[in-house]
Each structure stands twice: as structure tokens, then as C-alpha cells.
Amino acid sequence: MDLKKCKILLDAIDYRNLSKVARDYGYTPSGIWRMINSIEGELGFPLFVSGGSGVVPTDNCLRLAPSLRELLKCNERLAQTMCDIKGMKSGNITIGSYPSVSIRWLPHVIKAFQADYPGVTINIREGIRQELQGWLDEMSVELCFYTWRPGMKCHWIPLKEDPIVAVLPPGHPLAGAVSYPLARCRDERFIMPALGRDEDIYAVFEEEGISPRIVLSTIENFAAISMIECGLGMSIMNELITKGYVNKAAILPLDPPRSIKFGIAIPSLQKASPAALEFARYARRMIAEM
């Protein structure tokens, strides 16, 4: 199987939408189907079945995916090593990131990095912590900007600690207070982002033995902030998320103080591409100065 077919197959697994894959590569959906049928003929087993709104990879297809990703990574490392010898003129980096990091920190890092390496293409995939960890495990991203948790098996580059703050509606009784008692979350109408389970926030609650009364959940923090501004409840989140966004909500430090540890996770320094390692060096230096 050639490398282009590998890439198309992996995109079909990731997007589960052959029309999107076809647009990306300049094919028709039927052309992508014919290519997949050709790959199935080479391999001797089916790769996809039709779903309600796209295609669904078979179990054998999913078993094949990590090896295909590793094949593409090896090819990319080879290409980048050759470029590194010549001065790293080209390459590709796929980065996983929290939305708050990609909004507040990464634009500055990318601008500086691409000024020095204009031929390197950067792709960013945003998600919640569970999604980012899954992308790292399946090797669909080369490095992730997210938070440290015990038991991580990746190489970890620490960046910054970010305080966790309470985000309250403007009419909340404590909106003008100096700090927010964390224990009070037990009695609040709590809004939980990240598909109803923000791993960083749950870790804080578990440490304090708090079971919040969750009345609303949403996919991400920015939607939660809008709900808080409308008086639908309150939440706690890391301060970086609130920077440059909140207009009406009250932002208070927690009592007792709590924080999360931002950093860069890389599955393997030995297998990482030269461009990914160089980008991590840029990020570590620049974010420390922000």
C-alpha cells in the first residue's frame, strides 16, 4: 500500500465522512470508495461499513490504524531528518491542544516558529483532555498542550501553573467578594464543561471530597461562560480560559487556592520528528516569558 493510500485511509477513519476526504484530496466520493475497495482487495478483509451519516471502520480496520500511523510517522521523520541535515526547510507537525492554549499562547509561538521555518506546516486539533489523550495514544498527534495528571506515560515538558478560579454570574451574592470558598460548590447550580466531565475540575473536587450539583453541561468552557453570564449557574475553571473573554461574569480566586499544571506531552523523544521537537523548544521558551 502506498503512502497516499495510507493517508486517505487514516483520514477516512478519523473523519468517518468520505465526502470530506474526497474534497481534501480532489476526488469524488465514489473515487474514494473505489480506492478503499482496492485497498480491501489488497488486504483481504473489509475496512468500512456504511453508517447513518458516514462510514464506520471495522474492528480490523481500527487494529490496522496504529501501524499505518507509525508508517507515516516514520516516513515523516525520515523526510524531516533529511531536511534537518539541510536546515529543516519543510515538514509537518500535528499538535493537540486545549482551546484556551491554542487561543492565548500558540498563535505567538507559531508566528515566531514559522518566521524561522516557513516551510513547516502546522496542523492543530483542539479537544478536551480525554480526546487529547486518545489522539496521543493512537499517535494521530505528535505532541499535546494540556495538563499533567499522575501516571502519564509520555515525556512531559512543564510549562506553567495556571490558577483555578470561580466564575460567577454578575448577580451572585459573592460576586464582589475577595475569594470564593471552594466548599460552597456543593450548594451551587454548577455548570460542567468538557462533555459533562472536566478531568481537571473533577480532580479538584475529588481532593476536597466535593460532589457538585451539576445542572448543566456543555462541550466547552466558552459556552459555559456564556451560560454563567446569563445567570444559569456558576463554575470553576482555569484562569487562562477567562482571559480576554469575560465581560459580565465575576472572576474570583478559590479559597483554598488550586491550580493546574500546563505542559507539553510527547509520546517518545526518540520517535518525535525534528520539527516537533524544535516547536516544543520554541513553545517552552516563549510561554515561560508570557
Side-chain angles (χ1 to χ4, degrees):
M1 189 191 311
D2 65 41
L3 294 176
K4 184 175 182 180
K5 286 184 178 179
C6 288
K7 184 70 170 66
I8 289 174
L9 178 56
L10 287 172
D11 284 353
I13 293 171
D14 291 339
Y15 297 127
R16 308 195 179 194
N17 184 316
L18 296 190
S19 295
K20 175 173 175 35
V21 176
R23 287 194 301 271
D24 289 347
Y25 288 90
Y27 288 92
T28 63
S30 59
I32 296 294
W33 259 125
R34 285 194 295 272
M35 185 176 296
I36 289 174
N37 289 335
S38 171
I39 297 172
E40 289 176 336
E42 293 180 38
L43 298 176
F45 53 81
L47 296 171
F48 294 93
V49 295
S50 296
S53 58
V55 292
V56 179
T58 63
D59 289 343
N60 284 335
C61 182
L62 293 176
R63 288 180 60 190
L64 190 65
S67 297
L68 294 178
R69 294 190 198 280
E70 182 59 26
L71 176 61
L72 290 178
K73 293 294 182 188
C74 287
N75 182 69
E76 178 65 21
R77 286 196 298 272
L78 174 61
Q80 289 193 21
T81 300
M82 294 167 63
C83 290
D84 195 34
I85 294 171
K86 300 175 183 179
M88 203 164 71
K89 301 295 184 183
S90 64
N92 284 276
I93 312 170
T94 302
I95 297 169
S97 175
Y98 281 168
S100 57
V101 174
S102 63
I103 291 171
R104 304 302 303 173
W105 291 343
L106 288 188
H108 307 286
V109 179
I110 292 170
K111 182 178 181 180
F113 182 83
Q114 290 196 322
D116 292 335
Y117 303 105
V120 177
T121 300
I122 297 173
N123 308 295
I124 299 177
R125 298 182 67 182
E126 294 178 320
I128 61 175
R129 197 178 196 289
Q130 298 95 304
E131 291 173 316
L132 295 175
Q133 188 60 56
W135 296 337
L136 273 179
D137 293 342
E138 69 184 20
M139 296 186 296
S140 60
V141 298
E142 292 186 75
L143 62 161
C144 266
F145 289 78
Y146 66 166
T147 48
W148 181 87
R149 299 295 302 146
M152 291 175 60
K153 298 178 181 179
C154 302
H155 179 78
W156 179 254
I157 301 172
L159 294 175
K160 270 191 175 183
E161 288 208 20
D162 193 35
I164 297 176
V165 295
V167 184
L168 310 176
H172 192 280
L174 295 181
V178 175
S179 62
Y180 179 86
L182 182 55
R184 182 165 173 150
C185 286
R186 294 187 179 94
D187 305 316
E188 297 274 14
R189 289 174 53 85
F190 196 85
I191 298 175
M192 179 66 76
L195 295 176
R197 186 174 176 86
D198 187 310
E199 296 290 339
D200 298 320
I201 300 308
Y202 260 94
V204 172
F205 285 149
E206 288 172 0
E207 290 173 7
E208 295 294 319
I210 295 172
S211 296
R213 183 167 62 96
I214 300 173
V215 295
L216 284 168
S217 64
T218 179
I219 182 64
E220 51 118 276
N221 294 83
F222 301 115
I225 292 174
S226 292
M227 294 177 185
I228 293 167
E229 289 179 331
C230 287
L232 297 177
M234 61 80 62
S235 190
I236 64 172
M237 57 190 68
N238 61 295
E239 188 178 45
L240 185 65
I241 294 167
T242 69
K243 295 286 189 180
Y245 176 90
V246 176
N247 295 316
K248 295 182 290 185
I251 308 298
L252 276 67
L254 293 181
D255 181 19
R258 288 289 182 270
S259 63
I260 57 175
K261 299 175 182 178
F262 274 118
I264 305 171
I266 301 176
S268 169
L269 291 180
Q270 290 71 32
K271 294 182 178 181
S273 68
L277 294 176
E278 184 68 4
F279 187 87
R281 284 192 284 269
Y282 269 63
R284 185 177 190 179
R285 183 185 74 250
M286 293 186 64
I287 292 174
E289 297 170 354
M290 291 181 188

